[in-house]
Amino acid sequence: MADWQDLLATIPIFSFLGRSELAAVHDLFVEETHQKGDVICRQGEDGDTFYVVLDGELDVLVGEGTQHVIAVLKRGDFFGEMALLQGGKRTATVAVGRRARLISLHRLAFNSLFLKSPKALEYFTRILCKRLADMNKGEIMRGSTLTISVGSHAGLKGKTLIASLLADYLHEITAQDVLRVSVHVSDHAAEGVVGDLLAQDSHVKDLHEVVETDAGGISVLNIPARKDLPVPFYAERASNLISNLSGKFPFIVFDLNHDVTGLLDSVPLFSDVYVDIVDMHVAVSSEETKKSGSVRRFEVINLFNPNSRPVPLNHCEPFVIPCDLAMIQDDPHEYLSSNKRAPAALPVQRLARRILGASVGIALGGGAAFGIAHLGVLKVLEENNIPIDLLAGCSQGSLIGIGYAAGIGVDEMIDMAYRLGRRQNALLAVDPTLTKPGLLAGDKFVEIFRPLLGGKTTFKDLVMPCRTVATDIESGERVSVGDGLLVDAFRASASVPMVFSPIKLCDRVLVDGGVSDPVPAEIVNMMGADLCIAVNVVPPLKKGVENAVSKTFRVMRWFNPLSWIDNSSGLPNMFDIIMNAMQTLQYELGNFKAISADVLINPELSDFTWIEYYRSEELIQRGIEAAERAMPAIKRAYGQKLGPWMKRAPQTVEPEKAEQVEAGAA
């Protein structure tokens, strides 16, 4: 009871009670312990109990159907008083976010204790007004500490490296303090300061004795753990550690030892996120998802493990660590920390952003030569430190997307575009066909741009997730390609109807993705991106803009006497009709399809035509200009995703005006 009295004495609502009076009402309170995921009360239910939080964290959720967190309750917070005072329903759901101890007061005891005190009623009124004001702001709250556990099955490598890199990247992205907890097997229980940290409500202040700081500014705590103890034992100790340190570290990353099986089994009881090192990706059933409760689980396939096999990178998850010989020659952690574009570093960075709900996907639209402008957009994104975690592309955008996902740098791709875009190369792409349904077979066109695939062959060879979009010409369906040969994926996505012959892939006859989805923002969202940036490079038609092919046809028709019959000399040629129709379709449909994107970029390319690859430098510059114009919107959207996690400047409050801030109502 002593700790109750000490705690209650600090809460303004109990200030009208003296120490002796607090002791006298001891029997009115009931202490209870709840595990992570337990629901204390539900929105809309009758309320007959008042609660005070002794330890742990509780989420206050509101909304019909999908609920969102509006507040987090911690030690000293209380809830349930409004339903009791107003005689109504619960206004919110309260669920345990971290193992919690509460004391509760039933309606009769609440009425006898508070309703006769004008001071208590006045305080309740002030709290109600503040809560209503906070809810009107629409701010989404988060817990004081995000807990991430990293574990693996016996014999699999990479657990400690992943935990270390995650801690580094979380610190770098958010500028917040991160604690990495390394758990090792021991025959002896933790003692001293470490033992105190694992004890209930210890509030240790002198952490410098046991917490070290590594070269990257990450705090490290080593915890001994005995084997073969019951799951509740580990859950309680881990929850105590988190509660005792939650005010100091917004992020705690646990590096769990696989030999302590009870600790691994207790992860759902104390952790928010579980990162599992696995041999192969296994689809999780709905029943298994229910068992894991509110813990988000992410799989990491480390290809340094001999039995691990690559999977096609066509979604944000799972996260595949490719083999990089430089990691073996150097210190892996140091190498990946200093080489952010290293193939093995990219998936861990994507994992860190996915955990924060801030992974970024790019939808690259189609448009033949217009698509070269995508390179200017990618260049500006990199220069402004906007991460790119996954890509989806259509037609020319599919080729650039695959090249970027294959690990080719933007500057290298720009150099390739300058070389490949020479006028003489246009003739090399011409391979007329009489046996296939198209003017050109399309094989030479693919061969010209094959260097942009970076020497990669299949989707399993990519270093970041990518998909391409094509159209089933027999059904009109959009087809998202994320497996098999990369050259087939590009070839299908870029097969402009009547210009290039279709390609048969997996029993489907596929043509240009621009027919059904010119800007695949929806695909990016389906792949798992938290933020989607879409680029529609196809401009509206501009009268008077003519390409070299059109000029040639026009001159030939002028010398053709048959063209003067029935006044047909003023009509455009068949080639222009096809391409102008496609351009109009892709501009309008592309902007519509990009409606699900967070930011849409439209480079101004009306002065260009679809075959002018030889104007690569100008096209790229237009992409740069468009991306720079959109950068404020992109930074704002990305900042909103990271907002709840970013470090804020401390607010100073005058002591005489300071009052307890109540975070939620139920």
Side-chain angles (χ1 to χ4, degrees), residues 521-580:
E522 187 179 28
I523 296 296
V524 166
N525 291 322
M526 291 170 60
M527 290 170 69
D530 299 298
L531 172 67
C532 174
I533 301 170
V535 189
N536 186 6
V537 292
V538 175
L541 286 173
K542 185 175 181 180
K543 195 168 184 178
V545 176
E546 191 176 36
N547 60 59
V549 174
S550 301
K551 289 179 182 178
T552 302
F553 271 106
R554 179 166 50 81
V555 171
M556 291 174 62
R557 286 175 62 85
W558 193 87
F559 287 104
N560 181 6
L562 296 178
S563 66
W564 298 93
I565 300 175
D566 295 330
N567 296 320
S568 63
S569 61
L571 298 178
N573 62 74
M574 182 186 69
F575 214 61
D576 277 348
I577 292 173
I578 296 172
M579 297 311 300
N580 288 355

Side-chain angles (χ1 to χ4, degrees), residues 239-317:
S239 297
N240 290 340
L241 177 68
I242 296 165
S243 294
N244 291 329
L245 296 175
S246 63
K248 299 178 177 65
F249 298 101
F251 299 97
I252 297 179
V253 180
F254 282 87
D255 178 4
L256 302 180
N257 192 296
H258 57 73
D259 290 328
V260 188
T261 54
L263 178 58
L264 287 173
D265 292 337
S266 71
V267 164
L269 299 176
F270 70 85
S271 193
D272 302 306
V273 175
Y274 181 52
V275 178
D276 194 6
I277 313 298
V278 299
D279 264 340
M280 62 181 67
H281 171 61
V282 178
V284 179
S285 66
S286 57
E287 194 63 34
E288 290 174 310
T289 302
K290 289 180 182 177
K291 287 181 182 178
S292 65
S294 58
V295 178
R296 293 188 294 155
R297 179 177 177 271
F298 300 102
E299 290 181 340
V300 174
I301 300 174
N302 182 13
L303 296 183
F304 281 93
N305 291 309
N307 294 326
S308 295
R309 294 291 178 266
V311 298
L313 290 186
N314 53 32
H315 284 85
C316 187
E317 304 169 34

Side-chain angles (χ1 to χ4, degrees), residues 227-243:
K227 294 195 298 184
D228 304 323
L229 292 173
V231 169
F233 173 87
Y234 295 112
E236 181 179 351
R237 297 304 187 275
S239 297
N240 290 340
L241 177 68
I242 296 165
S243 294

Side-chain angles (χ1 to χ4, degrees), residues 33 181 220 274 424 574 611 633:
T33 301
V181 178
V220 182
Y274 181 52
Q424 57 267 33
M574 182 186 69
I611 67 165

